[in-house]
Amino acid sequence: MSEPARSRPPASLVAAAGLVGLEGLTLAILGVLELASLNSARVALALTTALFFVGLGAGLGWCARGLFLVRSWARGPVVACQLIGVLLGFSFWGGETTPIAVGILLVCVAALIGVLHPASTRALAADEG
């Protein structure tokens, strides 16, 4: 049985998918860099941190693909990760890390706006039907 034809994603969903994909790539790179900085004093910490970052990056990449292909299942995990990202951004607020906080907040809020935009919501709701 062939899968029904999918509609083209609206621009807001494409933008959100791009931002989520960028987040996933960034996390995967951070995981690889964590492995590269491995030393014998902290093997367990480095391995678990790297595994977490690479796994989360892969999951976000998969969800970004789902958004681009207008799959409704991708919305929930993306919204949850973006809300966690907003909280993470606020935890970096103050001092030398404020620019990092601003960057995290801008990307997360923009991705949330893209996913929750009315055109995105209509497209993702049509996938459920």
Side-chain angles (χ1 to χ4, degrees):
M1 179 189 273
S2 66
E3 193 162 320
R6 299 281 176 182
S7 62
R8 291 191 56 206
S12 56
L13 201 56
V14 171
L19 289 171
V20 172
L22 182 63
E23 289 173 330
L25 179 63
T26 301
L27 285 168
I29 290 170
L30 286 173
V32 170
L33 291 174
E34 180 66 28
L35 279 179
S37 69
L38 181 100
N39 65 44
S40 61
R42 52 182 212 92
V43 172
L45 178 64
L47 289 176
T48 56
T49 302
L51 182 62
F52 175 77
F53 281 162
V54 169
L56 184 57
L60 282 174
W62 185 50
C63 287
R65 183 177 184 275
L67 289 178
F68 187 75
L69 296 174
V70 193
R71 304 289 201 263
S72 63
W73 60 261
R75 179 179 25 200
V78 167
V79 169
C81 285
Q82 300 314 308
L83 292 175
I84 291 169
V86 167
L87 295 174
L88 178 69
F90 281 118
S91 75
F92 277 100
W93 199 267
E96 296 176 0
T97 58
T98 299
I100 294 170
V102 170
I104 291 171
L105 288 168
L106 286 175
V107 170
C108 290
V109 169
L112 280 170
I113 289 169
V115 167
L116 299 175
H117 189 275
S120 299
T121 301
R122 279 191 300 275
L124 292 169
D127 177 58
E128 293 176 356

